[in-house]
């Protein structure tokens, strides 16, 4: 089930209006068959009667394209909506491998945050 939710970050204007800074897509009970391990290498995840990996994935709405955060002063700062990850255990093996699955670490996106840098 995929839901579109806003991140908890808001920018308040002088009139009290608020806007979403980085939109987030939430996929609950997600059962991926391929992801990245903690080193960033693609792996296959075991999904069968012997092992199952289920997680809630929270990704930036603009997956892949790091768009600027809404409401940031572009003259003073650069910004981007970027995913944040945690490492979780899963039964994995290298992509295109026939090796046995073994317990390993996969990256799971848990948030979409606004990263800001001051322009020097």
């Amino acid at each position: 089930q995929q839901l579109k939710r806003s991140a908890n970050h808001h920018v308040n204007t002088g009139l009290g209006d608020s806007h979403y800074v980085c939109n987030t897509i939430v996929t609950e009970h997600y059962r991926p068959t391929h992801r990245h391990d903690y080193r960033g290498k693609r792996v296959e995840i075991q999904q069968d009667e012997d092992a199952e990996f289920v997680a809630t994935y929270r990704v930036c709405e603009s997956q892949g394209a790091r768009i600027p955060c809404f409401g940031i002063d572009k003259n003073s700062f650069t910004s981007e909506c970027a995913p944040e990850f945690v490492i979780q255990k899963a039964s994995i093996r290298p992509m295109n491998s026939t090796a046995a699955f073994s317990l390993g670490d996969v990256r799971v996106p848990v948030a979409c945050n606004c990263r800001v840098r001051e322009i020097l």
Side-chain angles (χ1 to χ4, degrees), residues 19-68:
H19 302 276
Y20 300 127
V21 173
C22 291
N23 287 335
T24 301
I25 296 173
V26 178
T27 305
E28 297 174 327
H29 311 294
Y30 185 51
R31 298 180 69 230
T33 56
H34 300 87
R35 290 308 298 170
H36 292 93
D37 68 7
Y38 72 97
R39 296 178 308 242
K41 298 196 185 251
R42 292 279 291 168
V43 294
E44 181 182 356
I45 299 175
Q46 186 175 7
Q47 296 286 12
D48 57 26
E49 63 278 352
D50 294 327
E52 179 181 52
F53 177 75
V54 180
T56 297
Y57 275 57
R58 295 167 185 90
V59 297
C60 300
E61 182 178 47
S62 60
Q63 293 182 46
R66 300 267 175 110
I67 64 167

Side-chain angles (χ1 to χ4, degrees), residues 88-109:
Q88 291 187 0
K89 296 288 186 191
S91 185
I92 62 173
R93 67 181 174 193
M95 284 291 294
N96 303 318
S97 172
T98 58
F101 286 97
S102 62
L103 193 61
D105 297 317
V106 293
R107 293 184 339 168
V108 175

